[in-house]
Amino acid sequence: MRYLIGILLLLLLVLHQDNWFWEDDTLVFGFIPIGLFYHACISVAASVTWFLATKFAWPHGLSDGAETSQQGSNT
Amino acid sequence: MTQLVIIVAYLGLLLLLGLGASLLFRGTSKDYLLASHSIGPFLLLMSLFGTTMTAFALVGSSGEAFKEGIGVYGMLASSSGIIHSLCFFVLGIKLWSWGHRFGYTTQIQFFRDRLQNDGIGLLLFPIIVGLVIPYLLIGVISSGVVIQSMTGGAFPELFPTSNPGTNGGVPPWIGSLVICCIVLAYVFFGGMRGTAWANAFQTIVFMVLGIVAFYVIAMKLGGQPTFLENLRVCSDAVAHDKVSRIDMSKTKFLTYLLVPLSVGMFPHLFQHWLTAKSASSFKLPIVAHPVFIMIVWVPCVLIGIWATTSLVPGKPPLPKIPGTDIVNANAILPFLVKTQTSALLGGFLTAGILAAIMSSLDSQFLCLGTIFTGDIVGHYVGNDRLTDRKKIWLARVFVTAIVAVTYGLSLLPQRSVFGMGVWCFSGFASLFPLVLAAVYWRRLTAAGAYASVLTMIVTWFVLFRQSGFGHHRSFTVDIPVGGVTYETMPVLTIFVASAVALVLVSLVTRPPDERTLARFFGTK
């Protein structure tokens, strides 16, 4: 599943470079320029991807802080 | 005058909130600097978002859209939505976990411990402080400018100026001083908990007021009976170059993707990460951050492109940069709010802009105070020799000193500080390979870290010098390939040089001690 999230993320970064809408001045719903609308959708897609990441690729074995040492503060 | 009353009331409320947070203070340095790792998902989301969204999110986004068109959203906002959450996910959780286990309060403690090297702290310290200070200055100066322009006309006899837009407004030196004092007060008494509470409150304020301003400005500029009709009328009037990216370089847009990686090395964000109650507290910020950016930026970008149309009345004229005939893009939003909305909303929106500024300033002040306390005094005097009470007071003294120095610097003539913004971000972004390698690459060595940081400094300085020390605002590194020249952001060159130096020098130097690696990564 981690690989799938990684692929989704890479896809998002590729889709971010939307050369295909570069010179398009269409107004979606009559008021949002398509280049702006597309990137607003990228923002929503980013949230969805990160939601999937927190559901299926959450790191395991993290410290819960129960064993706090002073090592760091002494260095 | 109405604006001034609302600003004063807002600042008073903020002060009360900060002082209220101090009532929960547990009297330990861990509580003062890290809120005792007690920050849950909602407060973490609001404080991370409020800290990363500076005044630039409201004022700069509309200003940049006015100059460059809608492309600024993809370049600065949707890219940040992806990359910021990436940093929270890939670095934040891991660093929180180690910070919790080993008792870190600052990045430098982490790097010293991870690389088992004292000198890396001394090398990073001036770089981190040096890159944060211009960032702080932008906030302090902006707050004074915003207060002056929004209170223009209130005291014409007391504060006369030759500029009709600012005549009678509270002068920047007073506005900036008040903002510094307010932030200092709630950081001084409330520490990290006060900062987190204030950030959450201020983030809600600037998000809500941004949307309200958008609605009111659209209704006023369009002149139609319904909101949707007004949106259509306003956007219809915008020229082709502003609703497309016809004038924007594609490679510049692409390479700008590296700039938001700066979040991975911001020292104030590191400190915020450590405040989390549990690893799960990160889930909400990671998921909601991109959408929050969209909520703030889309309305501001639309306002910015609408300001380029003939729908904006010719009188009063758009604000100009003093001494020139160039429109001051960063004053577009305050100008529209002032001329197109009521004094009441104007006051509230000013409070919203100040909220965005202060929600970044507070974390940066506290973080620099923490670095001085923990990484310099604590480290060299000995943390064991300092009582908790002494550590808290040292942090307070340092925070006060940093506020005073920043305020003093803000009074000097500032011609290039605004041009410094992207350079500070590029510097931090180019340290990203270092933090990523420290978290995931067992083979990273202290020598590799030195090489990476020193390469970053040298490349950064060479390019910064070539840009006329930030004066050439649209400076790019042009790469000719097959007869075509590609414009790239300077961050690409600095980032690649820093990453290559890190890898090569790490590979040719002695591998790190297995015992240290086992502490961080477990045994192979």
Side-chain angles (χ1 to χ4, degrees):
Chain A
M1 200 60 191
R2 283 190 173 200
Y3 289 110
L4 184 64
I5 301 292
I7 291 167
L8 277 178
L9 201 61
L10 277 178
L11 183 66
L12 208 56
L13 290 170
V14 172
L15 291 175
H16 180 268
Q17 185 68 24
D18 60 326
N19 291 355
W20 47 91
F21 285 136
W22 213 260
E23 295 179 16
D24 195 334
D25 61 0
T26 308
L27 295 176
V28 180
F29 307 123
F31 73 93
I32 304 187
I34 195 155
L36 180 60
F37 178 75
Y38 176 85
H39 276 277
C41 292
I42 289 278
S43 297
V44 175
S47 275
V48 173
T49 306
W50 287 119
F51 172 75
L52 294 174
T54 56
K55 276 275 171 205
F56 302 110
W58 194 249
H60 298 292
L62 293 171
S63 155
D64 62 357
E67 195 189 327
T68 303
S69 87
Q70 287 302 306
Q71 202 143 3
S73 51
N74 290 338
T75 53
Chain B
M1 190 53 102
T2 309
Q3 284 100 324
L4 192 62
V5 172
I6 293 169
I7 294 168
V8 170
Y10 172 73
L11 294 177
L13 196 63
L14 198 58
L15 205 54
L16 280 178
L17 193 75
L19 296 179
S22 73
L23 296 177
L24 295 180
F25 182 41
R26 299 176 193 171
T28 63
S29 61
K30 192 174 168 186
D31 194 62
Y32 187 75
L33 301 174
L34 299 176
S36 298
H37 305 296
S38 65
I39 302 296
F42 178 72
L43 268 184
L44 190 65
L45 163 68
M46 298 313 253
S47 49
L48 289 178
F49 181 69
T51 304
T52 51
M53 292 294 114
T54 59
F56 193 79
L58 290 176
V59 180
S61 56
S62 43
E64 287 297 310
F66 177 84
K67 287 192 293 188
E68 310 277 349
I70 53 120
V72 298
Y73 184 86
M75 197 153 93
L76 304 165
S78 63
S79 57
S80 297
I82 304 169
I83 303 288
H84 287 183
S85 289
L86 176 80
C87 291
F88 301 163
F89 188 81
V90 172
L91 301 176
I93 304 167
K94 232 9 185 192
L95 290 171
W96 170 85
S97 170
W98 287 338
H100 214 174
R101 199 185 330 158
F102 301 130
Y104 306 134
T105 44
T106 69
Q107 270 170 326
I108 289 175
Q109 284 174 346
F110 162 66
F111 282 113
R112 276 178 167 152
D113 197 24
R114 165 71 179 82
L115 298 168
Q116 290 294 296
N117 187 287
D118 196 50
I120 192 74
L122 284 180
L123 179 64
L124 282 173
F125 170 73
I127 297 169
I128 289 174
V129 175
L131 289 173
V132 170
I133 283 195
Y135 195 0
L136 274 170
L137 272 175
I138 294 170
V140 172
I141 294 169
S142 304
S143 62
V145 171
V146 167
I147 291 178
Q148 185 183 39
S149 65
M150 295 307 286
T151 55
F155 308 102
E157 286 169 11
L158 198 58
F159 305 123
T161 66
S162 56
N163 184 339
T166 55
N167 186 34
V170 175
W173 70 269
I174 299 181
S176 295
L177 180 64
V178 171
I179 293 299
C180 281
C181 290
I182 299 285
V183 174
L184 176 62
Y186 71 74
V187 172
F188 190 94
F189 293 108
M192 181 49 95
R193 186 174 286 103
T195 303
W197 282 24
N199 272 352
F201 172 65
Q202 303 203 86
T203 304
I204 294 168
V205 167
F206 78 71
M207 286 180 81
V208 171
L209 291 177
I211 293 167
V212 173
F214 173 69
Y215 174 80
V216 175
I217 290 172
M219 293 303 278
K220 192 76 190 288
L221 287 182
Q224 304 299 312
T226 68
F227 181 53
L228 190 59
E229 280 178 88
N230 282 313
L231 292 177
R232 287 178 173 159
V233 167
C234 291
S235 293
D236 254 342
V238 183
H240 173 66
D241 62 326
K242 297 288 190 258
V243 288
S244 67
R245 280 161 284 174
I246 200 159
D247 294 330
M248 188 172 271
S249 156
K250 286 176 185 161
T251 44
K252 204 174 160 184
F253 184 91
L254 176 66
T255 52
Y256 207 98
L257 258 179
L258 291 174
V259 174
L261 287 173
S262 50
V263 158
M265 267 305 283
F266 279 162
H268 45 292
L269 276 197
F270 181 92
Q271 200 170 348
H272 271 297
W273 289 339
L274 293 186
T275 64
K277 189 189 279 181
S278 64
S280 300
S281 301
F282 280 85
K283 287 182 179 174
L284 183 62
I286 288 169
V287 174
H289 194 79
V291 169
F292 268 41
I293 292 178
M294 182 189 76
I295 293 170
V296 172
W297 273 72
V298 169
C300 290
V301 169
L302 284 173
I303 290 175
I305 59 169
W306 294 343
T308 61
T309 69
S310 56
L311 293 173
V312 177
K315 282 188 180 175
L318 291 174
K320 304 280 193 318
I321 294 171
T324 71
D325 203 32
I326 302 164
V327 173
N328 183 358
N330 286 332
I332 290 292
L333 184 66
F335 171 80
L336 286 178
V337 167
K338 196 170 177 186
T339 56
Q340 305 299 313
T341 70
S342 64
L344 190 71
L345 182 61
F348 279 118
L349 195 83
T350 311
I353 296 171
L354 294 177
I357 295 173
M358 289 190 286
S359 62
S360 302
L361 281 181
D362 51 13
S363 309
Q364 292 162 336
F365 281 139
L366 182 63
C367 143
L368 289 189
T370 310
I371 289 176
F372 273 103
T373 309
D375 297 329
I376 301 298
V377 179
H379 183 74
Y380 290 105
V381 169
N383 274 307
D384 297 341
R385 292 174 60 190
L386 292 173
T387 62
D388 240 17
R389 198 177 156 77
K390 271 189 187 156
K391 282 182 193 166
I392 294 164
W393 275 101
L394 266 176
R396 284 175 168 162
V397 167
F398 280 124
V399 169
T400 310
I402 291 156
V403 173
V405 169
T406 310
Y407 175 69
L409 289 174
S410 77
L411 299 179
L412 300 174
Q414 307 290 337
R415 279 173 49 81
S416 61
V417 71
F418 288 91
M420 283 287 291
V422 74
W423 286 98
C424 292
F425 283 28
S426 300
F428 279 120
S430 303
L431 289 171
F432 180 84
L434 173 64
V435 67
L436 186 72
V439 172
Y440 290 100
W441 195 35
R442 297 172 69 103
R443 191 64 181 77
L444 171 72
T445 63
Y450 278 101
S452 174
V453 176
L454 292 171
T455 307
M456 185 283 279
I457 298 168
V458 172
T459 347
W460 184 92
F461 184 76
V462 168
L463 294 177
F464 185 52
R465 192 162 174 264
Q466 281 180 17
S467 77
F469 296 100
H471 283 292
H472 182 185
R473 298 285 286 272
S474 52
F475 176 80
T476 52
V477 176
D478 297 341
I479 303 174
V481 180
V484 182
T485 301
Y486 296 97
E487 292 181 329
T488 66
M489 293 298 292
V491 67
L492 176 68
T493 309
I494 312 169
F495 185 95
V496 170
S498 160
V500 168
L502 180 140
V503 173
L504 290 182
V505 176
S506 289
L507 289 177
V508 297
T509 46
R510 206 177 61 175
D513 172 40
E514 272 303 327
R515 272 193 315 171
T516 307
L517 291 178
R519 277 180 60 227
F520 287 93
F521 303 104
T523 44
K524 267 187 190 173

